[in-house]
Amino acid sequence: MKKFILRAAAVCALLLAPAIAQAAEGFATANVNMRSGPSTRYPAVSMIPAGESVEIHGCLADLPWCDVSFYGGRGWVAGRYVQADYRRNRVYVEPRYYRPLGIPTVVFQFDNYWDRNYRGRDFYRERDRWRRGPDWVDDRRDRRDWERQRERERRDWERERRSDLRDWERRQREEEKWRDDEWRRQRTEREDRRDWERRSDGVRVRQDDGTVYERARPAPMVRCQFDDPYCEN
């Protein structure tokens, strides 16, 4: 008799266990992200399509966020995106409906929750930062903004440096061209001077503008003798 009673109690416990462990059923009212914590700043776990059913394991007392399951995934959804059946009507999951719907009030324990559900996720590597709360993401945004600003400044500096280099190369080419032209001009002047010096029938005359031209050398003056009838002074 005792064994029969114990066996019956065990069977009843097995039959009642699923009912006790069963979570309340809810429905997503829109395409909503299931987050890894009770804030939109926590990393997204998956997206729940509108109209899909979720299991509600509990909700926070001070914030309208609920711990839910969806297709084997676990995460948090804002209560304003979840409805449940209450007295033949669907109502949004709010604190006043927690007790009638059988939804327990829970607390978000970061370490236990993340260790149990997100060990295989990429954002799990940053759990030490996320443990400080979702506000640290603002610091991360500030750092990204600073890095983008630094990258823009670096690109601007490189662009200015390339522009300065092009200007310097252009000035170098202009100076080289000027030196070549000056060298050709001086060589032409030297050649012209040598040509003039080789000539014996001309004299150099410098005008006011600094140019030099040639003219015939004047004939030497000859003084006649007094008794020369063929000479005219």
Side-chain angles (χ1 to χ4, degrees), residues 81-93:
Y81 294 110
V82 180
Q83 290 183 336
D85 290 330
Y86 177 68
R87 294 181 179 178
R88 298 182 180 180
N89 293 317
R90 284 192 176 181
V91 296
Y92 284 96
V93 177

Side-chain angles (χ1 to χ4, degrees), residues 119-167:
R119 284 186 177 273
R121 297 280 183 166
D122 293 337
F123 55 79
Y124 184 80
R125 294 193 297 267
E126 296 182 339
R127 62 188 179 280
D128 292 337
R129 292 181 177 179
W130 285 107
R131 187 181 291 110
R132 300 199 301 267
D135 293 337
W136 83 272
V137 73
D138 293 335
D139 298 335
R140 187 173 60 177
R141 289 196 187 100
D142 293 340
R143 185 171 63 253
R144 287 199 299 266
D145 293 341
W146 176 80
E147 291 175 351
R148 284 195 293 267
Q149 179 64 25
R150 184 179 61 177
E151 182 65 20
R152 285 194 296 267
E153 292 177 354
R154 186 184 65 83
R155 289 196 299 267
D156 293 341
W157 177 82
E158 291 180 351
R159 185 164 53 250
E160 292 177 358
R161 185 173 63 87
R162 289 193 297 268
S163 178
D164 293 340
L165 180 60
R166 287 194 297 269
D167 292 340

Side-chain angles (χ1 to χ4, degrees), residues 90-121:
R90 284 192 176 181
V91 296
Y92 284 96
V93 177
E94 299 176 355
R96 60 177 174 166
Y97 294 115
Y98 289 173
R99 184 180 295 275
L101 293 173
I103 299 175
T105 300
V106 296
V107 177
F108 176 54
Q109 296 179 345
F110 179 87
D111 289 324
N112 292 336
Y113 199 88
W114 276 45
D115 289 344
R116 186 171 62 250
N117 299 299
Y118 305 132
R119 284 186 177 273
R121 297 280 183 166

Side-chain angles (χ1 to χ4, degrees), residues 23-70:
E25 186 179 14
F27 303 90
T29 60
N31 296 334
V32 60
N33 284 321
M34 183 169 62
R35 301 281 177 173
S36 55
S39 173
T40 56
R41 295 179 179 176
Y42 279 104
V45 178
S46 65
M47 195 273 290
I48 303 175
E52 291 292 332
S53 62
V54 296
E55 292 184 2
I56 305 173
H57 301 285
C59 298
L60 299 178
D62 54 344
L63 293 174
W65 281 81
C66 298
D67 177 19
V68 303
S69 294
F70 175 71

